[in-house]
Amino acid sequence: MASQKKKLTRRKFLLGTGAVVGGGLVLGYAALPNQTKDIAAKYKGNGQVLSGWIKITADNKITVIVPHAEMGQGAHTALPMMAAEELDADWDLVSMEEAPGMPEFANQPLAEGFIVGDKLPNILAPLINKAFYSITQAMDLQITGGSTSVRFTGQYGMRVAGAAAREMLMKAAAKEWDVPLGDLSTEKSHVYHRASGRSATYGSLADAAAEFDPNPTPTLKAKADHTLVGTRTVKRLDVPSKVDGSARYGIDAEVDGMLYAAIARVPVHGGMITSLDDAAALAMPGVKKVCNLGYAHAVVADKYWRAKKALDAVDIEFDGNGNEGLNTDAIFARFARDLETSELEYDIDEGDFSTASGRLVEAEYAVPYLAHACMEPMNCTAWVRDGVCDVWTGTQAPLMARTAAATAAGLEPEQVTVHNHMLGGGFGRRIHAENDYVAPAVEIAKMAGAPVKTIWSREEDMRFDEYRPAVVSRFAAKLDDSGKPTAWQNRFSDKREPVEAPLIPYAVENQSIGYVKSQSHLKLGPWRSVDHSQHAFFTESFIDELAHAAGADPLQYRLSLLTDAPRHAHVLKTAANAAGWYTGVKDGRAMGLAVHESFGSIVAHVVEVSVGGNGMVQVHKVTCAVDCGEAINPDNIESQIESAVIYGMTAACYGEITIENGQVVEGNFPDYEMVRLAEVPGIDVHIIESGAPLGGLGEPGLPPIAPAITNALYVLSGQRVRKLPIKNYEFAATA
Amino acid sequence: MEFSLKVNGETRVVDVEPDTPLLWVLRDELGFKGVKFGCGVAACGACTVHMDGTATRTCVYPVEAAAGSDITTIEGLAVDGVLTDVQQAWIEEQVPQCGYCQSGMIMAVSALLAETPNPTDEDINAAITNVCRCGSYPRIKKAIQTVISERGAA
């Protein structure tokens, strides 16, 4: 057996940045020698861990260790594909394993010191230093979010790891056969020496290969040589377990002797329990304990149903912390007031709006709070005993979950083990912006002195989400005689991230984009595409209003202003051509479009809508064009765009969390309606491989769908939807 | 209170309160974790199983009403490890994303196609009201058509 002889000769770091959700986090990758050892020790088993994330066993099977969670976005397949491609692996022998929640796997694509050399984006260069490494550790990375898995971990990690491992295997064969490295080739997990007819499996070479140092800058395959990446031959690895009921989500965790808990937060957000009477609940069958967490109460019982029934028998009184009187109108009034009175911070402040000449056009938009409504309600199983804590859950950020659990258990993070599971939906909800499901579950388990699975009811899940922020956004523009905007002014009521969300691709000389900080008592968190979900609706509605004010075709108007954004223009044209773009109303239908860049990808949607006899808006067809640079798994790209379109349609048409008396009104699907099968439009996806750096795909399909629909509704009805959701408007039937 | 349930061809005895929803009995007493909790009010369909062949949402279905019925869960669809054509179509069309709703979807679609071998779009829209937050609906539609056309050709 090879020892841990590999020495890291370069302390180099790769850092990806930007669009990572959750409190301004920066995504970082780093590697230090001790981590390498830890990873190898953890994963060696009966195989060799080559280049960090690739394990090869003697039976020629390859396991790719993926430091991201699977929540339906396909990372558990796309990342192994990228490693297997460079490795020339036999895909049928490739499997994947999710990395455990350990700092050693903190989104480090280059676990053995690989660097990307000239591929590192310039803007990241200043961040590469050791000090930053500590910061990334402290920030608890290993996040699945920001549409980053493929474009960072895959591109800068998996590809390099795969290519380096292949080199090591070839070197081992060259040494054993005493032939020049250049005479060797690889195919389907074998090394070949064609001249002599010799061949060997990767599995048989793995031990010898581990003696070589991995090359941090191996040559990557040319796109034309790809046999997996970019093809439709690969089926997702997680799908079979999702059709026979065997996939295991957090809610399916089982621990010997496990009890169940049901939980109820204080109904008024921000409120605390002032008194609790548990006598009736404790007398109910199977009830073991009633927990007062201050902000919530919970009942622990031997069966979930017993816990849930007893929960209602607990009598609490609470103090609403002054929030009892809040309602939705008051919250939006606060945003409006703060927009007038609070000091602005600027994203851009160039030129002078007041002196710019032209006709003034103004509009105000608003979007509501939104719940994530993951299909799997929040849940977490925890067990605190003898100075250790185990947590079984589905999380997008295992290290943040670990820290949250440690704090709740009164332990150090190193004493906590997070067993991550499949996620029954993530969408940003399972990133722990507020640590609101792992921490309570750990507190409850600690109080109970036993392993406890805490399950949120749908109502608790929906009424105590970390909501997509509600925002008010005001615009003013000036149009010259030709209708072209000479000045663009935007003021909005809250900002989180990513910073670039409100920026426009259009060439407008004078631009001022600024915001105030105005929020309510609700907890907020990242929601699929984060701030892009609001700002694409705002900016793509307003540019559409300007087009109509100018008497121009919304497509041609945008194109005339995309002079500095050729990729946007190409995406928009592609979608418009594919959709058969037309203006005006045709057979009771109309088209609308929108284009928006997020997470490195540019997406345009063209939609065709009508209003049915019942007054219901019908979206007939969505034609999408997406420029994500390069397509890794085309079938899954289509799947993610379909997904984002439908998630965004639900938000645009129905999504609205409202507040009365400080409490969230909507509690379950009947009052927080979803797009269902009957309403789903035809969705036609056109992938553009522009060769630009890899873009993300989990989120970018979402932002432009809402404005595309409302822009179409304007053409159809003359009514401009400036405040989502669409369900609050009435439309006359057109078809 | 004891109840005798026939699940996936096997008779099992459980000791629970009579009002316990069948969902929790299947999951926690009998270990059929493929049956999923989604809403608790029969609005999303994640908990769908077959009761005597009929698609039934179990999160509001008291166990006492289930005794005597022939219950099939997602785990009981495959025969001798061979997936049904519906399950195979789900793989072929790569339907699932997060996958959490798919047990219920597959059970609902299987029941529909057993009852109505050639459903119209309206039949499908009316019968398949399960919620999928990942938006796998376009592929569900495709997979249903795949099954219909393959059964027609068989």
Side-chain angles (χ1 to χ4, degrees):
Chain A
M1 275 295 191
S3 64
Q4 311 294 328
K5 72 172 275 289
K6 284 175 284 176
K7 276 203 328 221
L8 199 73
T9 51
R10 300 165 191 80
R11 285 196 171 194
K12 291 191 173 168
F13 308 92
L14 164 70
L15 302 161
T17 189
V20 178
V21 289
L25 291 186
V26 180
L27 176 64
Y29 308 127
L32 292 171
N34 59 339
Q35 295 177 279
T36 309
K37 280 190 197 142
D38 287 347
I39 290 170
K42 174 110 192 146
Y43 271 97
K44 200 160 172 291
N46 61 346
Q48 283 296 348
V49 177
L50 298 184
S51 62
W53 288 336
I54 294 168
K55 180 172 136 175
I56 303 179
T57 44
D59 58 3
N60 209 24
K61 288 189 175 147
I62 292 171
T63 307
V64 180
I65 301 155
V66 177
H68 289 285
E70 179 61 57
M71 48 192 187
Q73 84 282 30
H76 278 189
T77 305
L79 295 184
M81 271 172 85
M82 294 171 91
E85 179 67 67
E86 297 296 340
L87 186 55
D88 268 346
D90 181 346
W91 181 251
D92 292 339
L93 299 176
V94 174
S95 61
M96 67 74 54
E97 204 174 305
E98 184 174 330
M102 290 165 63
E104 293 76 16
F105 287 102
N107 279 331
Q108 43 174 351
L110 311 173
E112 298 208 299
F114 300 134
I115 57 161
V116 286
D118 58 358
K119 286 199 176 137
L120 189 68
N122 284 336
I123 52 163
L124 305 182
L127 300 175
I128 302 172
N129 58 55
K130 190 158 180 270
F132 191 81
Y133 170 69
S134 338
I135 296 169
T136 59
Q137 281 221 311
M139 279 182 167
D140 277 350
L141 297 174
Q142 199 172 333
I143 287 173
T144 304
S147 298
T148 52
S149 305
V150 165
R151 63 195 177 118
F152 292 137
T153 309
Q155 180 71 355
Y156 301 127
M158 291 295 164
R159 276 186 167 162
V160 175
R166 176 175 169 269
E167 273 189 24
M168 293 158 78
L169 291 158
M170 289 172 74
K171 280 181 186 168
K175 189 176 170 193
E176 194 174 316
W177 299 334
D178 194 22
V179 296
L181 190 64
D183 292 354
L184 297 178
S185 61
T186 55
E187 197 182 331
K188 293 220 166 194
S189 296
H190 285 73
V191 179
Y192 292 93
H193 184 249
R194 302 283 182 198
S196 65
R198 269 178 294 198
S199 71
T201 65
Y202 285 178
S204 67
L205 293 165
D207 281 352
E211 299 292 328
F212 294 93
D213 280 337
N215 176 2
T217 54
T219 305
L220 301 183
K221 277 187 184 175
K223 192 164 178 286
D225 297 331
H226 287 172
T227 57
L228 293 171
V229 164
T231 73
R232 290 173 186 269
T233 56
V234 174
K235 299 279 190 204
R236 281 176 49 162
L237 298 172
D238 56 329
V239 161
S241 71
K242 292 174 174 177
V243 306
D244 65 8
S246 64
R248 287 291 170 264
Y249 300 81
I251 201 167
D252 303 325
E254 284 285 342
V255 183
D256 282 347
M258 184 175 78
L259 301 173
Y260 296 85
I263 186 170
R265 281 202 178 239
V266 171
V268 173
H269 282 244
M272 294 295 279
I273 293 172
T274 51
S275 77
L276 181 147
D277 179 356
D278 58 10
L282 284 171
M284 292 173 75
V287 172
K288 307 285 184 187
K289 189 159 190 72
V290 174
C291 306
N292 182 347
L293 307 179
Y295 55 87
H297 72 279
V299 173
V300 180
D302 59 349
K303 298 179 194 299
Y304 177 68
W305 186 244
R306 288 174 161 179
K308 187 164 163 35
K309 280 208 295 187
L311 191 69
D312 297 333
V314 180
D315 216 3
I316 67 154
E317 287 174 29
F318 63 88
D319 180 311
N321 196 25
N323 297 324
E324 301 90 331
L326 279 175
N327 61 38
T328 310
D329 288 346
I331 291 168
F332 275 94
R334 178 191 294 175
F335 298 161
R337 187 192 65 225
D338 289 347
L339 269 173
E340 299 294 337
T341 57
S342 295
E343 197 168 338
L344 283 166
E345 290 180 60
Y346 291 96
D347 289 322
I348 289 183
D349 195 24
E350 288 171 1
D352 187 349
F353 189 88
S354 60
T355 59
S357 62
R359 173 159 63 105
L360 182 67
V361 181
E362 292 177 294
E364 178 177 308
Y365 304 91
V367 293
Y369 292 106
L370 293 175
H372 296 78
C374 300
M375 286 308 299
E376 179 192 10
M378 296 305 109
N379 64 81
C380 177
T381 302
W383 190 7
V384 184
R385 80 286 184 200
D386 305 331
V388 295
C389 172
D390 282 84
V391 166
W392 296 263
T393 193
T395 170
Q396 292 174 247
L399 290 180
M400 291 170 85
R402 193 171 82 142
T403 303
T407 305
L411 297 171
E412 295 300 317
E414 294 72 25
Q415 295 169 291
V416 177
T417 304
V418 174
H419 308 268
N420 205 12
H421 286 64
M422 289 277 182
L423 278 60
F427 313 119
R429 178 66 181 91
R430 289 184 154 97
I431 283 187
H432 318 287
E434 304 280 355
N435 293 326
D436 72 338
Y437 67 93
V438 171
V442 171
E443 285 182 62
I444 292 164
K446 192 180 177 189
M447 287 183 190
V452 179
K453 181 192 290 184
T454 303
I455 302 173
W456 274 247
S457 67
R458 172 58 61 192
E459 289 79 8
E460 284 291 310
D461 179 288
M462 190 169 286
R463 293 207 170 105
F464 302 95
D465 200 339
E466 298 165 358
Y467 299 97
R468 196 285 302 270
V471 177
V472 170
S473 185
R474 291 177 180 164
F475 289 85
K478 288 185 179 168
L479 305 185
D480 67 16
D481 292 344
S482 71
K484 188 178 174 320
T486 57
W488 174 281
Q489 188 185 74
N490 180 201
R491 303 281 181 260
F492 53 94
S493 62
D494 188 41
K495 184 172 179 75
R496 291 166 71 82
E497 57 182 338
V499 287
E500 68 273 16
L503 306 186
I504 53 170
Y506 304 109
V508 182
E509 206 170 317
N510 301 288
Q511 286 193 34
S512 176
I513 300 173
Y515 58 94
V516 298
K517 280 285 182 192
S518 182
Q519 268 308 334
S520 74
H521 64 311
L522 294 193
K523 290 183 174 180
L524 305 175
W527 185 96
R528 197 172 191 173
S529 83
V530 206
D531 278 5
H532 289 286
S533 78
Q534 301 104 325
H535 287 287
F537 171 65
F538 302 146
T539 58
E540 282 298 294
S541 290
F542 192 57
I543 196 75
D544 210 70
E545 295 213 40
L546 297 186
H548 288 285
D553 168 358
L555 169 65
Q556 295 307 327
Y557 189 77
R558 283 176 175 80
L559 290 175
S560 74
L561 297 171
L562 287 172
T563 45
D564 301 330
R567 286 177 70 204
H568 285 74
H570 183 57
V571 170
L572 199 50
K573 277 191 263 190
T574 303
N577 288 339
W581 170 254
Y582 61 85
T583 56
V585 180
K586 212 165 150 181
D587 301 328
R589 296 184 179 191
M591 279 190 166
L593 53 74
V595 60
H596 189 78
E597 176 176 2
S598 60
F599 309 101
S601 291
I602 301 168
V603 176
H605 294 315
V606 177
V607 305
E608 190 177 39
V609 302
S610 72
V611 177
N614 52 5
M616 291 290 288
V617 170
Q618 281 185 288
V619 178
H620 296 277
K621 185 157 189 205
V622 182
T623 307
C624 323
V626 50
D627 176 357
C628 54
E630 181 190 346
I632 302 300
N633 188 349
D635 186 60
N636 200 53
I637 290 172
E638 291 168 6
S639 174
Q640 282 304 298
I641 298 292
E642 290 161 5
S643 173
V645 162
I646 293 167
Y647 201 84
M649 264 182 72
T650 283
C653 297
Y654 301 115
E656 183 176 36
I657 288 291
T658 62
I659 313 298
E660 271 175 32
N661 303 321
Q663 309 182 16
V664 169
V665 175
E666 294 75 16
N668 209 319
F669 293 127
D671 19 279
Y672 192 74
E673 195 44 270
M674 305 275 133
V675 166
R676 302 188 190 218
L677 188 114
E679 289 174 83
V680 168
I683 301 174
D684 182 21
V685 181
H686 298 263
I687 300 167
I688 297 165
E689 296 197 81
S690 63
L694 267 183
L697 283 155
E699 299 165 276
L702 189 143
I705 190 65
I709 296 171
T710 55
N711 291 340
L713 284 171
Y714 176 74
V715 174
L716 188 70
S717 69
Q719 183 169 211
R720 176 61 69 176
V721 173
R722 294 199 181 93
K723 185 171 186 178
L724 294 177
I726 296 165
K727 71 168 182 182
N728 294 336
Y729 290 74
E730 281 182 26
F731 293 94
T734 64
Chain B
M1 201 172 161
E2 290 199 346
F3 297 94
S4 176
L5 299 175
K6 193 176 172 202
V7 187
N8 300 334
E10 265 185 58
T11 301
R12 309 272 296 266
V13 177
V14 294
D15 184 7
V16 293
E17 267 87 42
D19 65 344
T20 308
L22 182 58
L23 164 70
W24 300 110
V25 176
L26 291 171
R27 284 179 53 79
D28 295 338
E29 306 295 324
L30 301 177
F32 296 107
K33 299 288 191 198
V35 189
K36 293 295 189 251
F37 166 55
C39 69
V41 297
C44 78
C47 62
T48 304
V49 305
H50 294 169
M51 305 271 292
D52 299 322
T54 303
T56 305
R57 295 181 178 180
T58 56
C59 67
V60 293
Y61 200 96
V63 66
E64 62 183 337
S69 293
D70 207 339
I71 302 165
T72 307
T73 71
I74 185 77
E75 291 90 346
L77 275 191
V79 178
D80 297 332
V82 178
L83 298 179
T84 64
D85 55 357
V86 174
Q87 290 170 304
Q88 286 171 18
W90 247 241
I91 294 176
E92 184 54 35
E93 299 298 343
Q94 295 280 283
V95 172
Q97 290 187 35
C98 93
Y100 194 80
C101 72
Q102 299 297 345
S103 296
M105 287 284 186
I106 289 169
M107 297 311 284
V109 168
S110 301
L112 167 70
L113 295 180
E115 266 169 46
T116 315
N118 282 299
T120 61
D121 284 352
E122 287 69 30
D123 292 335
I124 295 169
N125 289 344
I128 310 304
T129 57
N130 299 32
V131 175
C132 169
R133 285 293 275 152
C134 300
S136 64
Y137 304 115
R139 286 163 189 250
I140 290 171
K141 286 186 179 180
K142 263 196 242 173
I144 292 172
Q145 293 308 327
T146 301
V147 175
I148 293 170
S149 66
E150 282 177 2
R151 284 187 187 178

